Amino acid sequence: MSVSTEPENQIVDIRSPSATRPWQHVLEPISGYLIEVSDEAFPTVRIRPKDVRPEVTIVCYGGMLELVEDAIGMLFSEHEIVCEVISPTRLIPLNMNPIVDSVSQTGRVLI
Protein backbone atom coordinates (compact mmCIF):
# COMPACT_ATOMS: atom_id res chain seq x y z
CA MET A 1 0.00 0.00 0.00
CA SER A 2 1.32 3.43 -0.92
CA VAL A 3 0.22 6.80 0.37
CA SER A 4 -0.24 9.82 -1.91
CA THR A 5 1.50 13.13 -1.43
CA GLU A 6 -1.84 14.57 -0.37
CA PRO A 7 -2.35 13.73 3.32
CA GLU A 8 -6.14 13.47 3.01
CA ASN A 9 -6.08 10.64 0.45
CA GLN A 10 -5.00 7.05 0.76
CA ILE A 11 -3.96 5.35 -2.49
CA VAL A 12 -4.21 1.59 -2.76
CA ASP A 13 -2.91 -0.43 -5.69
CA ILE A 14 -6.00 -2.59 -6.14
CA ARG A 15 -4.03 -5.22 -8.05
CA SER A 16 -2.11 -6.06 -4.88
CA PRO A 17 -3.59 -9.18 -3.24
CA SER A 18 -2.49 -7.94 0.18
CA ALA A 19 -4.23 -4.55 -0.14
CA THR A 20 -6.68 -3.73 2.64
CA ARG A 21 -9.86 -2.33 1.16
CA PRO A 22 -12.65 -1.42 3.59
CA TRP A 23 -14.93 -0.87 0.54
CA GLN A 24 -14.02 -4.30 -0.88
CA HIS A 25 -17.63 -5.52 -0.67
CA VAL A 26 -18.52 -2.93 -3.33
CA LEU A 27 -15.52 -2.91 -5.66
CA GLU A 28 -13.81 -5.65 -7.60
CA PRO A 29 -10.19 -4.98 -8.57
CA ILE A 30 -9.72 -3.45 -12.01
CA SER A 31 -6.34 -4.01 -13.60
CA GLY A 32 -4.41 -0.76 -14.11
CA TYR A 33 -6.57 1.37 -11.81
CA LEU A 34 -5.96 2.84 -8.36
CA ILE A 35 -8.55 3.54 -5.71
CA GLU A 36 -8.20 6.68 -3.61
CA VAL A 37 -10.36 7.20 -0.54
CA SER A 38 -10.42 10.61 1.10
CA ASP A 39 -9.80 10.80 4.82
CA GLU A 40 -13.11 12.42 5.71
CA ALA A 41 -15.99 11.35 7.94
CA PHE A 42 -17.94 10.62 4.74
CA PRO A 43 -15.19 9.79 2.24
CA THR A 44 -15.18 10.22 -1.51
CA VAL A 45 -13.96 7.22 -3.50
CA ARG A 46 -11.93 7.99 -6.62
CA ILE A 47 -11.05 5.25 -9.11
CA ARG A 48 -8.41 6.47 -11.53
CA PRO A 49 -6.16 4.93 -14.17
CA LYS A 50 -2.66 4.26 -12.95
CA ASP A 51 -0.53 5.16 -15.96
CA VAL A 52 -2.69 7.13 -18.40
CA ARG A 53 -4.67 10.35 -18.37
CA PRO A 54 -8.45 9.75 -18.19
CA GLU A 55 -10.65 11.02 -21.01
CA VAL A 56 -13.91 11.37 -19.07
CA THR A 57 -15.00 11.73 -15.45
CA ILE A 58 -17.93 9.62 -14.28
CA VAL A 59 -19.68 10.76 -11.10
CA CYS A 60 -21.89 8.20 -9.38
CA TYR A 61 -23.40 7.62 -5.97
CA GLY A 62 -24.13 4.61 -3.83
CA GLY A 63 -25.27 1.40 -5.47
CA MET A 64 -24.38 2.68 -8.93
CA LEU A 65 -20.66 2.27 -8.20
CA GLU A 66 -20.68 -1.44 -8.97
CA LEU A 67 -22.42 -0.84 -12.32
CA VAL A 68 -20.03 1.97 -13.18
CA GLU A 69 -17.09 -0.27 -12.35
CA ASP A 70 -18.34 -2.76 -14.95
CA ALA A 71 -18.98 0.05 -17.42
CA ILE A 72 -15.47 1.50 -17.27
CA GLY A 73 -14.01 -1.92 -18.05
CA MET A 74 -16.37 -2.27 -21.00
CA LEU A 75 -15.67 1.26 -22.26
CA PHE A 76 -11.96 0.55 -22.27
CA SER A 77 -12.10 -2.90 -23.82
CA GLU A 78 -14.64 -2.02 -26.54
CA HIS A 79 -13.88 1.64 -27.29
CA GLU A 80 -10.48 2.34 -25.65
CA ILE A 81 -12.04 5.11 -23.53
CA VAL A 82 -10.21 5.62 -20.24
CA CYS A 83 -12.44 6.85 -17.39
CA GLU A 84 -12.00 8.20 -13.90
CA VAL A 85 -14.79 7.61 -11.37
CA ILE A 86 -15.71 9.90 -8.48
CA SER A 87 -18.17 8.43 -5.98
CA PRO A 88 -19.10 10.53 -2.95
CA THR A 89 -20.56 8.64 -0.02
CA ARG A 90 -22.67 11.65 0.93
CA LEU A 91 -24.50 14.14 -1.28
CA ILE A 92 -25.33 16.81 1.30
CA PRO A 93 -23.03 18.58 1.82
CA LEU A 94 -21.29 17.49 -1.40
CA ASN A 95 -17.53 17.90 -1.55
CA MET A 96 -17.11 19.29 -5.08
CA ASN A 97 -13.30 19.45 -4.98
CA PRO A 98 -12.62 15.89 -6.26
CA ILE A 99 -15.17 16.35 -9.05
CA VAL A 100 -13.79 19.74 -10.09
CA ASP A 101 -10.20 18.44 -9.99
CA SER A 102 -11.06 15.48 -12.19
CA VAL A 103 -13.18 17.42 -14.70
CA SER A 104 -10.43 20.04 -15.01
CA GLN A 105 -8.19 17.22 -16.32
CA THR A 106 -10.70 15.43 -18.53
CA GLY A 107 -12.89 18.28 -19.72
CA ARG A 108 -15.87 15.88 -19.74
CA VAL A 109 -18.26 14.65 -17.06
CA LEU A 110 -20.96 11.98 -17.04
CA ILE A 111 -23.33 11.89 -14.07
Side-chain angles (χ1 to χ4, degrees), residues 12-27:
V12 177
D13 184 345
I14 62 175
R15 292 180 296 178
S16 170
S18 64
T20 302
R21 298 181 295 270
W23 53 91
Q24 185 171 359
H25 66 285
V26 176
L27 299 172

Side-chain angles (χ1 to χ4, degrees), residues 3-17:
V3 178
S4 75
T5 57
E6 300 174 281
E8 69 276 358
N9 292 335
Q10 174 186 15
I11 298 177
V12 177
D13 184 345
I14 62 175
R15 292 180 296 178
S16 170

Side-chain angles (χ1 to χ4, degrees), residues 49-102:
K50 187 173 183 177
D51 299 321
V52 286
R53 185 177 176 159
E55 300 171 58
V56 64
T57 301
I58 300 175
V59 179
C60 69
Y61 176 72
M64 295 302 297
L65 185 55
E66 190 172 353
L67 296 172
V68 169
E69 177 187 342
D70 293 338
I72 65 172
M74 188 182 313
L75 283 168
F76 182 75
S77 65
E78 294 180 11
H79 303 286
E80 296 184 4
I81 297 173
V82 179
C83 303
E84 177 169 294
V85 178
I86 306 293
S87 181
T89 56
R90 182 166 134 172
L91 295 178
I92 299 174
L94 178 61
N95 181 359
M96 290 294 295
N97 293 333
I99 298 169
V100 171
D101 292 345
S102 180

Side-chain angles (χ1 to χ4, degrees), residues 33-44:
Y33 280 79
L34 296 174
I35 296 177
E36 296 178 359
V37 180
S38 64
D39 190 22
E40 301 167 313
F42 297 96
T44 298

